[in-house]
Amino acid sequence: IYPNYKKAAYYRSRIADDSRAHSQSVERQRVEKDAEVIYLQALNAYQKELFEDAKKNFVKVASIYPDYKQTAFYLERVDDDIIRKKEKVFEEVQRKQAETFYAQAMSYYQAADYEKAKVSFVQAETVAPGYRDVIDYLQNIDIDIQRKKMEDEEKVLRAQVDGLYKEAVDLYQAAKFMEAKEKFVQIDLKYHDYKDTGKYLARIDGDIDRQK
């Protein structure tokens, strides 16, 4: 109608650029909105120490919107966080294993089963060096094992000697002095000065002579 009316030519020359600029602005806003959603997901995962999930989302953010907020900062440190968390999980597993072995060891120790206790203490120290007072027990447990062994041997010996002593006394009271003497001699060889064995042996030869 009027090609050169006022600034019509000027606006016609700009409309393509303005349309392109508008489209770019709309696209930038869309990308920024998408980046914000993923960024918040990444940040939430990071705060919950779900570092591998966080890393995936931070990488997505960086791919669609480089340098968005603190994405670069988190990507620089997230690999170290992943390693630290794995170490922490591993240490927790070790601690629980050590706790189990320690409880077993203490149960055995309190029951005076020192050899089994030693095995469990060694297992606890192996999975978690320095755990509680394991080292203190391990430093002394061989002494406990040896002492228990001697006590057990003493109990067995006393049980044997008790039986012999009863037989010897019964024989003596039955005036079977020769047989009684043999028993008392066996007792004295096994367990010197057991009960009244010495007294019986001191007088039994006289009893034998008087019986003849």
Side-chain angles (χ1 to χ4, degrees):
I1 299 175
Y2 199 140
N4 295 319
Y5 184 74
K6 293 187 176 181
K7 292 186 178 182
Y10 168 75
Y11 286 115
R12 282 200 305 273
S13 67
R14 288 196 55 184
I15 196 165
D17 291 339
D18 289 343
S19 177
R20 186 164 49 255
H22 176 71
S23 296
Q24 290 174 345
S25 176
V26 170
E27 177 63 13
R28 187 165 54 251
Q29 289 175 8
R30 184 191 67 77
V31 170
E32 185 172 352
K33 184 178 180 181
D34 290 345
E36 176 67 7
V37 171
I38 301 171
Y39 181 84
L40 290 175
Q41 291 174 346
L43 198 59
N44 184 54
Y46 189 91
Q47 290 169 345
K48 292 179 178 178
E49 296 190 357
L50 301 173
F51 298 121
E52 292 185 358
D53 290 342
K55 180 181 178 179
K56 289 177 184 177
N57 283 325
F58 282 128
V59 168
K60 285 181 184 178
V61 174
S63 69
I64 63 174
Y65 200 123
D67 297 327
Y68 185 74
K69 292 187 175 180
Q70 290 187 293
T71 298
F73 167 77
Y74 284 110
L75 283 174
E76 283 180 6
R77 65 183 295 177
V78 73
D79 284 332
D80 289 338
D81 291 322
I82 290 171
I83 292 171
R84 276 194 294 272
K85 184 178 180 182
K86 286 180 178 179
E87 289 174 347
K88 183 179 178 181
V89 169
F90 180 69
E91 288 172 0
E92 180 62 17
V93 169
Q94 285 183 310
R95 187 191 66 77
K96 287 183 178 179
Q97 288 178 334
E99 190 174 289
T100 298
F101 288 134
Y102 184 83
Q104 290 174 346
M106 291 304 298
S107 178
Y108 288 134
Y109 191 89
Q110 289 166 1
D113 194 342
Y114 301 119
E115 291 187 357
K116 288 184 179 179
K118 181 179 180 179
V119 172
S120 293
F121 279 132
V122 168
Q123 289 173 320
E125 179 63 18
T126 299
V127 299
Y131 185 76
R132 298 179 69 167
D133 50 359
V134 169
I135 290 296
D136 292 336
Y137 278 105
L138 285 175
Q139 286 176 340
N140 297 296
I141 202 161
D142 285 334
I143 297 172
D144 294 322
I145 290 171
Q146 187 60 32
R147 176 174 52 79
K148 178 64 163 49
K149 183 179 179 182
M150 292 174 65
E151 289 174 353
D152 289 345
E153 290 174 351
E154 174 84 2
K155 287 178 183 177
V156 171
L157 180 59
R158 285 187 69 90
Q160 293 174 348
V161 172
D162 276 339
L164 282 173
Y165 187 81
K166 185 178 182 304
E167 290 177 20
V169 172
D170 288 345
L171 288 167
Y172 186 90
Q173 291 173 347
K176 296 179 180 181
F177 301 123
M178 289 294 294
E179 294 176 54
K181 181 179 179 179
E182 290 177 7
K183 298 289 185 183
F184 282 125
V185 169
Q186 289 180 42
I187 293 167
D188 198 49
L189 289 172
K190 288 177 178 289
Y191 202 122
H192 187 59
D193 287 339
Y194 184 74
K195 292 186 177 180
D196 290 330
T197 299
K199 292 180 180 179
Y200 280 109
L201 285 173
R203 70 190 183 205
I204 202 165
D205 285 335
D207 294 323
I208 293 171
D209 289 338
R210 282 191 294 276
Q211 194 178 49
K212 289 180 180 179

